[in-house]
Structures are given as C-alpha cells and as structure tokens.
Amino acid sequence: CTSLVAEDKAGKLYHARNLDFGLFLGWDIKNNSWMVPEYLKPLTVNLDFQRNNRTVFKSTNFAGYVGVLTGMKPGTFTLTMNERFSIDGGYIGIIEWILGKRSGVWMSFLTRSVLENATSYTQAKDQLANTEMLAPAYFILGGNQSGEGCVITRSRTACLDIWELDLKRGRWYVLETNYDHWKVPLFLDDRRTPAMKCMNLTTQAKISLESIYDILSTKPVLNKLTTYTSLMDVSAGTIESYQRNCPDPCMPW
Amino acid sequence: SAQFVPPYTEDCRKGMYPPTGPTFKGSVPWYKINLDSAPRKRWNQLINDKKVELTNLIQVIKDLAIDFFPSGKLIELVDKGLAPLVDTLPSPFDEELKGIADVSGVPLGEIMLFNIFYEVFTV
C-alpha cells in the first residue's frame, strides 16, 4: 500500500492511496499476476453510509468487508490504513481473543467506528492513537485545516509515533508505504523513495488530484498487488476510486 | 537496490488522469448503506449484486488452503471454529456479518475470515 496526505499552496488538503493486497497468496502463471487481487478488483465498491438520509461517511470497500481501509467524513477528515509488519502481530491478538482477552479492537472495526462516530480530526487522531488493537497498523489521517495531516504508527497496544505535516519546515506532505518512516524500507520493497521523488518533482505548487494520480500510477508505486487507487478531497467531500492494472514489465510488489 | 533497476521503476508518470489506458481496469460503482436499517439487512442490496464475485474470491482462497492442507482440515476449522467467534464481535459487526452470510450463501466462518483477514494475514 501507499498512502499520502498533501497540502497545496492554498492550504487545500488531498488524501490518496493505492490499495495493494495478496502477496504470496497464489501466482497465476497464465496471466502473470497474483490471484487474489484479480478477485478483489471486481468487488471494489464506493459506499455512502447514511443516517436519516444524510451522509455520515463515505468509503471504498471490498463488498462483503464491513470494516474500512479507505474512508472520508466529508468536510471533516479522511482516513486510510496501511499494513504494518511486526513479530508481535495480529496472530497474537487473535489467540488472546480466542482465549477470552477481548480488550483489543479489530483494526478495520476501529477505522469504521472512528469514521462513524468521531466528529473532528483531533478526536479521530486521539481514538486511532490510543485504542488498544489486535494487530499493528499505520493510520494515515487527513483533516480539513492547514497542517492537519499525519501518519500514526501503531503497535498492538501503543502509539509509537505520530508524523505530522509541518509546512514551516517544508513538510507539505506525509507519505507512508509499509515501513516505519524513520527506518530504511526493505531494500527489495522500496516504493517510498520513488513515490517521494515524484512528489518532490511535482512540487507543492502543482500538487492536485490529477498529479497525485500520476504519482500513484508510477511503477513500482503501482505494482502487481495494486487493486485500486482512491483520491479524496475532504473540503469538496469527494472520493473517487479506480480499479488498476499493472501491465508487464511490472514489479510483483 | 534491486528495485531501481529499470524497467521496474519508471520515470514519474504524467497525464494519467483522467484514468484511461492499460493501467486503468475500470471505475467503481456507488452504493448506499443505510445505518438506520437493521445491521442484518443494511448490506443486502450490495451483497445481492456482488455475491458471485464474493463467492469466487472465497473459492480462490479455499483452493489455496487446499493446496497447503489437502486434507481440508483447515477449511473445516474455519467453518466450524470461526463461525462461533462472530458472536464475540461487538455490535453491529456481528449482525452485519450474519446478514452477509445469509444473502451471499457463503458460510459464516468464511465471511468472518474475510473480515478479519488483516489480523490472520500476519501469520
């Protein structure tokens, strides 16, 4: 996965992501692609969750999956989740759950609840940072005011880091793949450097949904695991998602 | 690193939007989910439309499981072991998963697996 929150010169915030999934879950030799992503793509749907006929939040989901990996509360905040690898992982949380220790929350139920119930960027950040979980994760959160954008690095039980936009110091975007931002990514899976190179080449002056789509279409940010790309404009309240393909030659991850 | 060896890394793309061409597979349809309706019913329309694709996804994961565990024990474990766990989930997720299993015809344990796959995948 690659998620980013960027602020343009006018203080407008954009949030976008590639949803990559299905590593090592079966390779389709005939089509030269992973199997699971090809079955996930036609399940991709945009959802408008409503109460009293009014939008509470919107999301991009796989049909049948009730949690949220990509979502937005229009005019308030946007949220995506990227996987975080850790030896203290979700399987420990599942074993604890089965053994009756139920204080943790399932990752995608947490994101769904935050989108459903949080009323501000700050409240969302607090809930995502401080709720005990069954599995580690990265939460990428964007708000609707200048400077409201961060990557929250979570272990199962604690918030390890919150990496915020900082325009005074030239940090006009935050970008997360699947590795702690203060560490070098795995040398065989560095999508961060190419993505940041393209962000820097685009510059803050020219950042827009269109140029972000270009960046998320650049290999290896786009790869064989990419199922969809989502572009979110919180002030306009729009979320647009597109199923993706990565024609050969293309990185398997 | 190995990843920077062309052609796996390309120059920053331009003019990709609006999405067209070989990297664009298709647009994504919209659905409304009415949170005022019962959790067990609110996903019915969507799942009715997508139950073939959902069944196909679950089948490909089951085929993978059979590759690793030909005896079928793993699938049996999912169907028998995970289904009861749905009742341990907080509301409204427990009822929503049951509604999806009802309409799709996919066993409840397998719908549960799909919805907690993030935690399971870490294995």
Side-chain angles (χ1 to χ4, degrees):
Chain A
C1 291
T2 299
S3 286
L4 62 91
V5 175
E7 180 170 336
D8 71 6
K9 285 280 186 189
K12 188 177 180 62
L13 285 166
Y14 301 102
H15 191 154
R17 66 107 93 253
N18 273 359
L19 193 292
D20 303 354
F21 191 76
L23 187 62
F24 302 138
L25 290 181
W27 180 261
D28 180 346
I29 295 170
K30 187 162 64 64
N31 295 310
N32 212 27
S33 67
W34 299 106
M35 293 173 71
V36 169
E38 295 313 308
Y39 285 85
L40 283 172
K41 290 174 187 176
L43 281 169
T44 310
V45 288
N46 290 320
L47 299 180
D48 183 344
F49 288 82
Q50 296 195 343
R51 204 179 273 127
N52 302 319
N53 288 318
R54 297 185 61 192
T55 297
V56 177
F57 68 97
K58 299 176 182 179
S59 72
T60 298
N61 270 53
F62 296 122
Y65 192 81
V66 300
V68 176
L69 304 176
T70 305
M72 173 183 63
K73 193 174 216 89
T76 311
F77 63 89
T78 50
L79 172 61
T80 54
M81 191 291 292
N82 288 16
E83 182 175 13
R84 182 170 183 263
F85 308 112
S86 165
I87 200 71
D88 182 10
Y91 59 98
I92 294 177
I94 290 176
I95 292 167
E96 287 181 347
W97 186 276
I98 290 172
L99 295 176
K101 179 178 181 294
R102 312 245 157 102
S103 52
V105 178
W106 300 85
M107 178 279 298
S108 68
F109 296 161
L110 173 60
T111 50
R112 161 93 180 257
S113 300
V114 166
L115 276 157
E116 211 163 309
N117 304 309
T119 56
S120 70
Y121 167 82
T122 305
Q123 197 182 51
K125 183 162 66 167
D126 179 61
Q127 288 174 9
L128 293 165
N130 298 309
T131 304
E132 183 184 347
M133 298 167 63
L134 269 71
Y138 298 106
F139 294 125
I140 301 89
L141 184 67
N144 195 21
Q145 304 298 318
S146 172
E148 288 185 340
C150 66
V151 173
I152 302 168
T153 299
R154 282 293 316 264
S155 73
R156 293 189 316 113
T157 54
C159 176
L160 303 181
D161 178 77
I162 298 182
W163 185 39
E164 309 246 23
L165 288 178
D166 186 344
L167 283 97
K168 290 190 186 72
R169 283 197 263 167
R171 193 183 301 146
W172 58 277
Y173 70 87
V174 287
L175 186 143
E176 176 60 52
T177 55
N178 299 98
Y179 303 93
D180 296 348
H181 73 83
W182 62 90
K183 296 177 189 170
V184 176
L186 181 66
F187 75 97
L188 262 184
D189 182 23
D190 181 1
R191 285 161 283 123
R192 180 198 298 169
T193 306
M196 290 180 73
K197 186 184 93 176
C198 293
M199 287 293 280
N200 297 334
L201 272 176
T202 303
T203 73
Q204 186 184 19
K206 293 208 181 77
I207 201 71
S208 63
L209 289 184
E210 291 78 6
S211 59
I212 289 173
Y213 187 81
D214 288 343
I215 292 162
L216 295 178
S217 299
T218 302
K219 297 170 188 175
V221 180
L222 180 75
N223 56 73
K224 288 283 186 186
L225 292 169
T226 307
T227 57
Y228 66 81
T229 296
S230 280
L231 307 171
M232 299 187 275
D233 179 334
V234 66
S235 54
T238 60
I239 184 173
E240 48 189 287
S241 298
Y242 305 101
Q243 296 178 50
R244 305 307 305 266
N245 271 338
C246 193
D248 287 315
C250 178
M251 203 65 182
W253 51 72
Chain B
S1 68
Q3 195 163 344
F4 294 111
V5 173
Y8 292 104
T9 292
E10 54 191 2
D11 292 337
C12 302
R13 303 303 303 271
K14 292 285 177 216
M16 300 295 284
Y17 192 92
T20 59
T23 66
F24 171 57
K25 180 174 177 69
S27 56
V28 173
W30 275 95
Y31 285 82
K32 275 184 189 149
I33 303 295
N34 180 3
L35 294 172
D36 295 318
S37 62
R40 196 147 185 159
K41 300 294 181 197
R42 62 185 54 159
W43 295 91
N44 280 13
Q45 185 205 334
L46 168 57
I47 296 307
N48 218 32
D49 287 0
K50 290 288 185 181
K51 63 185 170 187
V52 170
E53 293 89 342
L54 182 58
T55 306
N56 291 345
L57 171 71
I58 300 289
Q59 189 55 52
V60 84
I61 291 176
K62 285 168 85 170
D63 291 345
L64 274 173
I66 292 287
D67 286 345
F68 286 98
F69 300 94
S71 65
K73 286 279 183 228
L74 181 59
I75 294 175
E76 206 176 304
L77 175 67
V78 165
D79 286 343
K80 289 207 176 106
L82 276 186
L85 271 186
V86 170
D87 289 320
T88 68
L89 297 180
S91 172
F93 303 113
D94 49 351
E95 284 300 304
E96 289 189 3
L97 296 194
K98 289 173 184 173
I100 289 170
D102 290 344
V103 174
S104 66
V106 174
L108 182 58
E110 293 168 23
I111 293 294
M112 172 75 170
L113 176 64
F114 181 36
N115 277 270
I116 63 170
F117 207 74
Y118 177 73
E119 284 79 8
V120 172
F121 192 59
T122 65
V123 176

